[in-house]
Amino acid sequence: MASSSGPALNEELQCSICLELFTDPVTTPCGHNFCRSCLSKCWTDTQTCFCPLCKDKFSRRPDLKINTTLRDVVQHFKEKLNLGEPEVFCDFCGERKQKAVKTCLTCPSSYCETHLEPHLSVPRLKKHKLINAVENLEDYICQKHERPLELFCRDDQTCVCLFCTEGEHRNHNIVPIEEESQKKKNQLVQNQIDVHQMIQDRMKKIQEIKHSVELRKRNTEVEKSSSVELFTDLIRSIERCQSELMKMMEKQQKAAEKRAEDLIKELEQEITELKRRNTEIEQLSHTDDHLHLIQMNLSLYSHPHTKNWTEIRIDSDVSNVNSLIRALTELRKTQETLNEKLSQTGLTFVQKFAVDVTLDPDTADPYLILSDDGKQVSYGDIKQDVPENPKRFDESLCALSKQGFSSGRFYYEVQVKGKTDWALGVVRESIDRKGEIWLSPENGFWSVILRNEDHYKACESLPVSLSLRENPEKVGVFVDYEEGLVSFYDVESRSHIYSFTGQTFTEKLYPYFSPYLNNEGENSNPLIITPVSPLLA
């Protein structure tokens, strides 16, 4: 068909159960279309009727009518795309051959309506096997006995003729081909229903993952907003205190200057008075008029009454200033406390919670080799002869530690130097350890992985690619059980790699180690659990 809309329209006109073009299409109350026979089979032996596509349930069995409009569209489409019955012509017509309507597997020949009449009326011919007209007639005839393939051998899973059942298929489980065909159709219907359920489950999972990512995004935005608001308020408080302190200091300075002016004026007045007194005393001290000297103001003979200036200070009242300084100091202490709290997940802090962990040989995949002290794990080319137990991983190249933790905080370090692939983290105790595993928090894994030398990922529900400035040679793993936090650090550069936040832990957690494959010797170095040496701040 030349039209580009053909394949798309073909899908629209397909029954979602049998995946064929609709035959006698009917429409459910929820608006979906199915072949009437397909839907009837789905509702056989069931008390509750539901839509096979969207799973909507119906309180009572719907009275379904054939959708004549859709049926006509399907018929037109069949004719348009030549998807109907093949053009098979009658073997007995003359020059102008008519289209065959039936093929006789017994004769074997194809017949138009006119030449088919004897097969419908003559008793002997009525026993012949008739099918819809087909081109490849040889496919329906036993090549050995030249008889119709009208039986099915379930032992050998092949179509056979009646003569075959008397020879090599004798005593085999033989059924009519129609019966086997119906069984296969029923299996297809059930498989289609199962496939649709799997599709629905996966679409639901996609929505769950999207919702989880969106919820995490919103929580992150809220946390970022709260942090910004907290620091903004703190900065504003400091700026406000600084402003009040400056204003108070300016006010005290002006008060000190005013008081100094008043004191200077008073001192100048006293100096003037003392100079006048001194002049009088000077004059009297040289007079020869004894009577006048005696009769002068007796006050000149006593010490002048002036202010005791030794106790006078030009210091301003600094009590308010000191109060503001104390308030500012408290604010700075609060800021330092906040900064310390916000940086508690830093490497220097988390190293305080170092624990001694060793590898558990009962959990190690048979291809892994553990050192005698339980501190190193590497991949071996030969499968080890180890006892089977529920704790052991059997298809995932990983091992757990002997030590598990169900509260508090813990930290450990692993050397990954020289490796091109690895995985580290923690897992919950009840994880599935058999078969292949998918690293994600939903499956009980909180891990960071390296693949192909420089591709780092955090194994969230949807893996998060990590961009690191340099390849870590030693990785630190920190867990705060109550806070729901799992953090990873590059020990040498003292930098943060990634954190899983807002997790909920309800069972014991175990450190997790995977050295991965050797990659022809390029990744042969072991993972090494190393002692924690706290770095100087």
Side-chain angles (χ1 to χ4, degrees):
M1 168 104 180
S3 174
S4 61
S5 64
L9 185 57
N10 188 9
E11 293 179 3
E12 294 296 328
L13 299 180
Q14 280 183 355
C15 171
S16 59
I17 297 177
C18 67
L19 298 181
E20 298 291 344
L21 291 175
F22 289 118
T23 301
D24 293 335
V26 294
T27 305
T28 59
C30 57
H32 294 118
N33 300 300
F34 305 92
C35 296
R36 182 167 62 178
S37 59
C38 293
L39 191 58
S40 297
K41 291 173 184 175
C42 284
W43 290 352
T44 301
D45 300 329
T46 180
Q47 296 180 349
T48 303
C49 296
F50 60 92
C51 174
L53 192 59
C54 68
K55 306 304 179 184
D56 275 2
K57 295 182 180 180
F58 312 123
S59 57
R60 59 185 181 85
R61 185 168 184 142
D63 183 16
L64 301 174
K65 304 293 185 182
I66 293 178
N67 188 332
T68 55
T69 301
L70 181 57
R71 182 185 61 186
D72 293 343
V73 171
V74 172
Q75 184 60 35
H76 176 73
F77 185 72
K78 285 181 178 180
E79 296 173 356
K80 189 79 172 176
L81 293 182
N82 196 23
L83 293 177
E85 297 298 326
E87 289 286 333
V88 180
F89 295 97
C90 178
D91 293 330
F92 297 91
C93 286
E95 294 182 0
R96 188 171 183 179
K97 290 186 176 292
Q98 297 296 315
K99 184 177 179 182
V101 293
K102 291 291 181 179
T103 295
C104 177
L105 297 180
T106 307
C107 291
S109 298
S110 297
Y111 301 91
C112 64
E113 290 184 358
T114 301
H115 291 102
L116 182 65
E117 181 60 29
H119 279 76
L120 303 178
S121 57
V122 177
R124 180 176 58 83
L125 297 178
K126 288 172 66 175
K127 297 179 180 180
H128 287 195
K129 181 71 173 180
L130 294 176
I131 62 173
N132 291 333
V134 295
E135 289 181 312
N136 51 335
L137 186 56
E138 62 275 8
D139 292 343
Y140 297 82
I141 303 297
C142 176
Q143 299 301 309
K144 183 176 181 180
H145 303 107
E146 296 184 352
R147 302 292 295 172
L149 295 172
E150 50 188 349
L151 300 172
F152 184 80
C153 177
R154 286 181 171 171
D155 292 344
D156 295 331
Q157 290 292 299
T158 184
C159 295
V160 297
C161 71
L162 185 60
F163 288 175
C164 291
T165 63
E166 298 175 357
E168 58 183 308
H169 294 279
R170 183 187 296 274
N171 299 326
H172 285 192
N173 184 8
I174 305 296
V175 297
I177 198 168
E178 292 84 0
E179 180 180 336
E180 185 65 21
S181 176
Q182 186 60 47
K183 179 183 177 182
K184 291 290 192 291
K185 283 187 177 180
N186 292 339
Q187 290 176 347
L188 286 174
V189 170
Q190 186 58 49
N191 287 343
Q192 182 64 21
I193 293 174
D194 294 342
V195 168
H196 276 293
Q197 184 60 50
M198 292 172 67
I199 292 172
Q200 294 297 319
D201 293 343
R202 280 150 181 76
M203 291 177 66
K204 182 179 178 181
K205 191 63 178 179
I206 288 173
Q207 294 303 317
E208 290 178 359
I209 292 173
K210 288 183 178 179
H211 176 72
S212 175
V213 172
E214 184 61 29
L215 182 61
R216 181 182 180 87
K217 181 180 179 181
R218 289 201 299 267
N219 290 340
T220 300
E221 292 300 324
V222 169
E223 291 174 1
K224 287 169 60 179
S225 177
S226 298
S227 299
V228 170
E229 184 177 347
L230 176 64
F231 279 111
T232 301
D233 290 344
L234 184 60
I235 292 171
R236 287 175 179 170
S237 297
I238 294 174
E239 290 176 345
R240 184 169 60 253
C241 287
Q242 287 177 332
S243 176
E244 292 177 359
L245 177 61
M246 294 301 104
K247 290 179 181 179
M248 182 62 70
M249 293 175 69
E250 291 176 359
K251 183 178 180 181
Q252 294 297 334
Q253 177 62 25
K254 290 180 179 179
E257 291 176 355
K258 179 63 169 62
R259 189 178 183 191
E261 290 177 359
D262 294 341
L263 290 174
I264 290 172
K265 183 181 293 185
E266 188 176 352
L267 281 168
E268 288 176 343
Q269 290 177 350
E270 287 193 5
I271 290 172
T272 300
E273 180 62 26
L274 288 173
K275 285 183 177 180
R276 182 189 61 77
R277 183 187 181 94
N278 187 58
T279 300
E280 291 181 355
I281 293 174
E282 180 69 21
Q283 291 175 349
L284 285 175
S285 63
H286 294 88
T287 185
D288 293 329
D289 188 346
H290 303 293
L291 181 61
H292 178 68
L293 178 63
I294 294 172
Q295 291 178 343
M296 283 300 297
N297 192 341
L298 297 176
S299 62
L300 294 176
Y301 296 101
S302 62
H303 194 277
H305 295 287
T306 60
K307 184 179 293 187
N308 183 7
W309 292 97
T310 59
E311 300 298 327
I312 302 301
R313 294 285 188 274
I314 310 302
D315 298 334
S316 60
D317 187 357
V318 296
S319 59
N320 290 333
V321 175
N322 289 336
S323 297
L324 281 173
I325 292 175
R326 284 195 299 272
L328 182 59
T329 301
E330 291 299 320
L331 271 175
R332 285 175 177 167
K333 288 181 179 180
T334 300
Q335 183 183 17
E336 291 172 359
T337 301
L338 180 61
N339 288 340
E340 181 180 355
K341 185 175 181 180
L342 291 174
S343 62
Q344 279 184 350
T345 54
L347 186 58
T348 302
F349 174 80
V350 301
Q351 285 182 326
K352 300 176 184 177
F353 303 95
V355 294
D356 183 20
V357 295
T358 53
L359 295 162
D360 184 356
D362 290 339
T363 66
D365 180 278
Y367 279 93
L368 296 185
I369 300 174
L370 276 59
S371 61
D372 293 338
D373 62 358
K375 295 296 183 179
Q376 300 186 27
V377 57
S378 59
Y379 176 79
D381 294 325
I382 301 175
K383 187 175 183 179
Q384 309 292 313
D385 184 14
V386 293
E388 174 58 32
N389 67 75
K391 295 170 55 178
R392 189 179 306 283
F393 294 91
D394 62 355
E395 290 189 23
S396 299
L397 300 176
C398 56
L400 305 183
S401 70
K402 293 181 179 179
Q403 297 76 19
F405 305 86
S406 56
S407 64
R409 301 163 175 169
F410 63 92
Y411 172 84
Y412 61 94
E413 293 179 353
V414 182
Q415 180 177 305
V416 297
K417 182 178 180 180
K419 295 192 66 61
T420 61
D421 300 86
W422 51 259
L424 294 173
V426 294
V427 303
R428 63 174 177 237
E429 187 172 23
S430 64
I431 56 169
D432 186 7
R433 309 185 187 199
K434 306 303 178 183
E436 294 185 0
I437 57 177
W438 179 262
L439 303 181
S440 70
E442 287 78 10
N443 293 335
F445 292 80
W446 292 268
S447 60
V448 166
I449 66 173
L450 167 65
R451 293 290 182 266
N452 302 323
E453 289 192 66
D454 58 0
H455 289 79
Y456 294 89
K457 290 185 179 180
C459 297
E460 294 275 12
S461 301
L462 295 176
V464 178
S465 294
L466 305 176
S467 178
L468 306 184
R469 286 178 293 182
E470 53 186 278
N471 291 351
E473 295 186 353
K474 186 183 293 185
V475 175
V477 183
F478 171 70
V479 176
D480 189 326
Y481 194 97
E482 282 72 23
E483 290 294 327
L485 173 69
V486 181
S487 294
F488 297 82
Y489 297 89
D490 180 343
V491 177
E492 301 301 326
S493 67
R494 304 184 64 183
S495 60
H496 174 255
I497 296 176
Y498 189 78
S499 287
F500 294 86
T501 61
Q503 307 298 307
T504 300
F505 302 132
T506 57
E507 55 186 272
K508 190 172 288 187
L509 299 179
Y510 288 84
Y512 161 83
F513 310 84
S514 174
Y516 208 59
L517 298 169
N518 277 349
N519 292 341
E520 298 181 353
E522 294 184 3
N523 191 43
S524 59
N525 284 8
L527 290 176
I528 304 175
I529 304 172
T530 60
V532 175
S533 300
L535 300 172
L536 297 177

